[in-house]
Amino acid sequence: MALPPQSTSTTAPPDELPLELLHGELIFSGILLSKDKEGDINELLSKLEFIGFSTGYRLIERLLKDSTRFKDELDTIKFICKDFWVAIYKKQIDNLRTNHQGTYVLQDNCFKLLSKISATKQYLEHGPKFLAFTCGIIRGALSNLGISSVVVAEISTMPTCRFHITIQRAT
Amino acid sequence: MRSAVSVILSGTAPEQNMSYPDYSQTPLDHQSLLVVVRHIGRQLRTKQFNRAFERISRINQLKVFDSQNQARHIWIRYLRGYPQENNDWGDFQTHRKALGLITVGQCNSQDEFNELCRIHESLKVGYAFTLYDSRCILFGLNQDGTLYEESHSSDISPCVDPADDGFHKKNESNSGSPRDSAVSSTAMPDSLQSCSNSGGSSAPSSIGGIINIPKKSTSSDSLQNYLETPNEDTFDSVSEDSSSRSESVSATIQYARMEQEAGLAGGQVNADRQSVDKQSTEPKSLVAPTNFKARTLFYPTMEHSQTLETDIEEFIASLFWILESKRMDKLGLRKADRHLLLNSLCAPFEKKDFVGLDLESKNNKRRADGRLKKQLGDLSLQAGLLSEAISHYHSAADILKSVNDWLWLAGALEGMCSASVACLYPQLRRSPTLQRNSSLQGSELTKYKVAAIGTTNSLPPGLDPEQIGGYKPMIKNCLTPAEILEKYREAVTHYGKYRQAGIIETEASIKAALVLIEQRQTLHAADFLQNAVFISLQLTEDEKMQRFNALSELYTKVGFHRKAAFFKRVAAMRCVSPHNPHPNWALCHSLLLQLLEGYKLSLNPNEISTYNFYGWPRLQMQVMQELVGTAKRKGNNALATRHMTFLVHAMLPHMSRDERREFAQQLEALSKDAEGLPVPLAIDNGLIVPPVHLQHTPSVKVFKLVPPTPHLKPEKVEDKKLEEASPFVYTPFSAHRDRGAKDVTKAEFSWVEGELCEVNVILENPLPIELKVSSMCLITEGVKFHVNSNVISIPAESNMFPATLTGKPLEPGTLRILGYSTYTLGVKSNIRLKNMKNMLFPHIDVEIVPALPSLDVSTSKPKSEFFSSFSDSVVTSASISLLMGETQECTVTLTNTGKVPIEHLEMKMDSRLDKQILDIFKWSEDNIMSQLPIQPGASASFTVYIYGVGDFIGQPDNSNTVDNSSVSSLPVSNAPSVDGPSSLPSRLGAISDRLRPKRTESSASNRSSVKSGGGSSVLSFPVRSPKVSMASNVKNYEAVLNLKYSGGPGFKTGHFRRCGVAFNVEVSPTLYITKWDTLPGESPAQFYLVLDLWNATDHEMEVQYAKNKQILVEKAESCRIPVPVDRCPMTNVEKGKEEQACCEHIVTNVDLKWVLPECSGKATMQGIRLTPPMVQLVTVSPIHWEITINGESVKPEEIRFDAGEMISVNVWLRNHLKEALEDLSLSLDCFQDYQNGRCNYKLDSRFAVIGNDSVLIPEICPGSSFQHALSMIFFVPGLYKVDFKCNRKSSEDCVWKFNPPLDIQIN
Amino acid sequence: MAVCVCVIGKDNGPIYMRSRSRADELSQTVEHNLSQMAFRGVTANTELQYNFIVSSALDIIEERALVGSSASGYKGNPSLHPSASGGAVGSIDGQQLATRELYLGALTAREEYKVYGYMTNTKIKFVIVIEETSIPLRENDIRTMFRKLHSAFCDLMSNPFYLPGSSINSKRFDAVVTSIMSGQ
């Protein structure tokens, strides 16, 4: 379903720059500069993803302090798309789709962490690196809510990106 | 009276103690008739009784057809005992009345029979006011009442008299076939009548209905008479006194009893008839005592009682009819008379209030009316008329509410609920077969709850589709689930207003809870239970215990396992509370065991670890402690220890420091009485407590097998051929290696039979006290393995405590190490690797190879303090220091310290250095081999000869630099002998010489070799202080003598061991040949090798350089010696190889012996290089000169002539070589030598030559010679020299001179 | 007056337990311990007792949470007073809303104390045992207590040194709990 797009989504007030800059630095000097073999970079990325995980895990605790209990899974995901996303990226997810079988696709048309990088193909191959952290955040938030999931992200054209959340049903 | 006393005597009767709630009650019990079944007499064994009870209670439902020929479903509830007080509540709730009594007994004699009858009677007295009818079932008698003997059991068993048969058919085929119903209706003619006149029936008619009973009763008497000796008056009197006894009981009961007997007559008569007939024929049939008026049912044995069921059904039917009739009567009562019943319509505790109550008051009338309605409701509910019951209840409720009769209102409400429940949840009825077993119910209900959880978005609880479908059609104004909940609430609250109604309230709450569980409204259920908990009842500890236990089971049903566990525990505490006169520890213990699950505990240590979470540690610890305590108190020390062990093992992570100490000490104390053994314990209640192993005290951090030390490591001979043949051929060795790669459980090394094997462990002691492990050893399987247990004591809270577990394999094969066992805190535990968290594999296999000898090696030389051990199997070392060229001996002694002889021995000298080593060490193999085998304890020895090699040629300190580098890469010996530069022209060498000091810092081998070139050059002079060089000249050689040995069984399987002796040889320089040159010798056959010797030692040195030629060289001095050497015959030396040939010639022919005060040695010329001119001198020249002057062959001294005198010279050249010499030119030069290094060749005016002063010689064939003659005349006196030389045209390089030149003195 | 505050983790194991009464130290011998445990009745007011109370309260928390999530019927008021019960039945839908909030209300009521429950979205449960005193606490007071507790917990979660799910030993958290128990 489509969520009402936020008017303030494109223009970035300065107060959110720090996150972007920090994150950018993390990626650039933390990962890209480590001129090592592919395996090493993946390792670093997964570390970053885990950092995201625990960040989300702890963050959700606070964000949900005053909200009521969720009705169901979809309710939770919606929260991620709205309040949660706003809390981090000052905008909502632009589009949420689901197959009602535990797969959700969150689309952000102007993902903050990519918005400053490029609108062209210039750095496209680096794009994914900038999503690992956020994937972790989502996964962490959900897992603290008792939903274990796998989150993967894809970039079609910068700075648009999609997060695919696949819920792992306890079998 | 006696009977009553006898009741007391009969003991088991619970009537005596105060009444308590019946926790097993369900709402549906409102609808059932209560029948008490009692075990009487001692002959009947309890097991038998239970079987009987089982059979009876199977008949818990009966379908009867009433007067309108409608099917009525009658439910029966059987109880083994029923407290009279509860019975007294029967008027309040009729289902509490014990309507029937069945006694079961066995008798084998008349007086036993009498006794049983008496007991039966006395029991009847107990329920006198409520009892409708009773039966006395006696085993051991035939149908006819005669004693039963085993002998004719056979003919009895088939005997089934038709009447019973008929009954049988009828009752079991109650499925409503018209014939049967007909029978049943005809069976009750007058009850039909009484029934026919409905609600508004007038008293007379109904009386009439009863009136005509006596007439019937005669028949009933008569049939009694068949049983007993007919005696009217006794009977009457009894009936009278019984009636007189029951003053308050309405007469109807009296009648009812008769009536019922009458009613049954129809069915029973003929049976009795037959029994009569039998009786008449059988003399010895038992006779019941005169006052016995109960129906007796005789059965030979449990097996021969096919008719039991039918008889019971008949009995039930009778009960029903009485009930029905009573209902009718109540129904038929005139409004006017109702209030009269008020006395009978009251709860026990109300009675006193009602004394002298104004029955006429309107209020009381209404009250009575309401109560009656209520009771009617009860009755019709029991009589199987649900809808009527409900309507009665409704009206009752309305009336009672209006008169504030709360108690009865509550009753009505509860009734209403039960009725509705009967409609909605018939499945609530417990099956008679299911015995009340908490665990079972727990499990089944948890399943249930899970299901409930599973259906998340279903209809609200209690509105499950099937239920909706269930009750809608059935009955009007039946309550909805929600209403039921409400009514129950209301009822319970009303009950709550009466202290005396506590039990009722409790039961109501429980029933409500059951219903709500059925509705899956667990929270409500919990509320009701909660409420039940707080109702204060006067109960004994024992009853309290039962109460809490019951609650706990109910909570389990609700699915509240923690609460259930909580109450279980409270119940358990009750068993042993100090107020309890006789505490029951065993019971307490078993109760505690039941609650473990609720707290996520399991006595199986393996399970505890598998729980995804550990529950509530604090509570678990508490419970475990209590278990320990109770186990101890009930005297099962082993069990106490086991529990304590478990506590320490499983709860350790959650314990505080103090707790750890505390529990550890407790465990130690407990295990003093009963040590903990690793075996399952069986508790008296059949439970098996699995063994607990103390895995954490101490816990093993590292568990590592120790490979044998390198020199003892057994190795397998690798079968080269096999491996090369094809990689697919199996060879144990390679196979082993492969497996080693794949599975880690196989150790890469192997141990040796009969030798000590070690496993290193690192232990952690989590306890704040010192932990004494009185025995710790390995657990193994496979080959025989003798383990040594060792005592360890680990300081408090040390987490890195190393220890070693040892053992001896007693046979070859594969040893599997499974784990280790400890005995600590008085507990013996076996810990398996597979249970250890940090272990990767479940076990470790080690190969045990057959016994091998072990070798101890010693040498006669001192051990060297350091050697670079490039072979780790080195066991000892010898350091030898000798001088260049010296030779020493070293004796090596081999001792067999093993248990098997050394049969096989191989020796090899290995070194990082090159083959030069072979020059250093020498020994004789055969000598050693001859000494084999070396028996255990014996020893063998042999000698190694060590020669101090060194380069005498060249510069000490360049060899020194080489020496340094030799350690790194380049072998020493290469240095001097390296390539080209040696053949460099001398000046260059000199230059390089001067440059040396700068270069030595960077001692790269190639540079050093350059210098060595310089060194070996002719004209170089040493630029260095000998002192410095002295120190730096010592060379070290390291070599290891590797011994490969084997013997005994190990040898046969191709195993061996290796050990090594490290030799550390240091060679200090003696003398150096710094410069050398060649000079022509006295004879052309000889030449002088002129050497500059430099004494590098700090002693005076004598050098013998030729036979009886020696010279003393001061220390650090050099001196020059001429060594006469025969020339090197250049025979069969191909071109270009001359120099090499010459060097070899010199090396072999020159030998210098040096002698120092204490030792002596030889110096070799190895490595000497020669420049072409030298080679010339060394070699015998191919051309042999022969010159005559005036026919005389020349002498070396000068020849005198006068000026102008003609001198004729003849020159012969002979060719020594194999091949011909071609294109030679012979020429002579005449010159004057001014002795100042200048020669004057311009002598044209001073002499003349007659003939050619130079000729070309085309060729001189081998062996042949060429002659040239000429004459010369000198004109001026003086000293002239004449030089003949001959050279090849082709190459200028080789020139042969005749030397010395001729000296000619002209005067 | 709050006498016991307990935090229970996702897996229903306690991660924080604090009660007014001094912790009952371990008894010296099994026998002694035994007499002690026999003495401990239903109302023995020891720290252990609170453990028992809270743990059994968990049952109800779970149940309510379940009911709440499975959007069905009951959140009620444990007292069996007719009026209250009437309310319970009448206001089923209203109660559904009630479960959506984190505060679970009173779990069990006894003469001497009441047990209140609260569950965060992340399945962390807070339980507070209130001693019944002359001045009964108002529902709102309880709510504020829980809210304080919850925000304290959030702060704790934001502390990188606290490993989520591990037992809590944070001075800061302690302080908050103390303030709650001392009743301001």
Side-chain angles (χ1 to χ4, degrees), chain C residues 73-125:
Chain C
Y74 169 75
K75 282 71 262 141
N77 164 345
S79 85
L80 286 175
H81 195 272
S83 66
S85 60
V89 167
S91 66
I92 281 189
D93 43 356
Q95 284 157 356
Q96 273 185 5
L97 299 185
T99 44
R100 290 294 298 284
E101 73 172 309
L102 308 181
Y103 175 64
L104 295 175
L107 303 175
T108 52
R110 298 276 200 90
E111 298 76 22
E112 64 274 25
Y113 59 80
K114 267 198 171 63
V115 181
Y116 294 86
Y118 182 101
M119 185 167 83
T120 71
N121 273 295
T122 56
K123 300 283 178 294
I124 305 291
K125 296 120 191 146

Side-chain angles (χ1 to χ4, degrees), chain B residues 578-592:
Chain B
H579 322 306
N580 197 335
H582 28 68
N584 181 346
W585 293 99
L587 180 57
C588 174
H589 184 262
S590 62
L591 283 173
L592 284 173

Side-chain angles (χ1 to χ4, degrees), chain B residues 449 486 489 522-524 527 531 534 562-563 585 599 613 616 619 622 626 629 633 659 662, chain C residues 11-12 24 26 28 33-34 37 40 47-48 51-52 55 59 62-63 70 74 80 85 89 110:
Chain B
K449 190 160 184 298
E486 275 330 294
R489 271 234 166 73
T522 46
L523 283 170
H524 289 290
D527 292 341
N531 181 55
F534 295 127
R562 298 182 189 81
K563 237 185 167 34
W585 293 99
Y599 285 135
F613 68 89
W616 203 285
L619 301 185
Q622 179 62 25
E626 289 163 356
R633 290 297 286 265
E659 284 168 328
E662 184 53 41
Chain C
D11 57 7
N12 290 346
D24 54 339
L26 278 161
Q28 285 321 298
N33 164 23
L34 209 70
M37 89 188 181
R40 284 194 199 114
E47 173 250 3
L48 174 69
N51 272 291
F52 275 115
S55 84
D59 284 324
E62 277 183 330
E63 196 52 41
S70 68
Y74 169 75
L80 286 175
S85 60
V89 167
R110 298 276 200 90

Side-chain angles (χ1 to χ4, degrees), chain B residues 21 169 239 288 480 514 701 758 1174 1186 1301:
Chain B
K169 267 206 228 70
S239 62
T480 68
L514 286 173
K701 288 246 165 289
E758 298 186 334
M1174 297 180 181
E1186 191 170 332

Side-chain angles (χ1 to χ4, degrees), chain B residues 46-81:
Chain B
T46 333
K47 214 161 118 283
Q48 292 289 310
F49 171 75
N50 291 340
R51 281 186 57 200
F53 184 79
E54 189 59 26
R55 285 177 65 181
I56 294 170
S57 52
R58 249 193 229 101
I59 313 165
N60 65 334
Q61 190 201 4
L62 193 61
K63 192 175 188 185
V64 184
F65 290 85
D66 64 9
S67 47
Q68 283 85 10
N69 191 7
Q70 279 170 338
R72 299 275 197 89
H73 291 275
I74 310 304
W75 297 90
I76 307 93
R77 182 172 180 224
Y78 298 93
L79 290 180
R80 295 178 186 224

Side-chain angles (χ1 to χ4, degrees), chain A residues 57-58 60-71 75 143-146, chain C residues 10 99-102 119 121-122 150-151 153-155 157-160 162 164:
Chain A
Y57 194 98
R58 296 174 187 275
I60 193 77
E61 193 77 51
R62 175 169 295 278
L63 293 187
L64 286 179
K65 191 156 85 70
D66 305 319
S67 82
T68 63
R69 194 157 290 130
F70 292 127
K71 199 154 75 270
D75 214 18
S143 100
N144 196 359
L145 292 172
Chain C
K10 289 181 192 296
T99 44
R100 290 294 298 284
E101 73 172 309
L102 308 181
M119 185 167 83
N121 273 295
T122 56
H150 191 177
S151 43
F153 184 75
C154 288
D155 296 348
M157 278 293 283
S158 318
N159 169 359
Y162 172 69

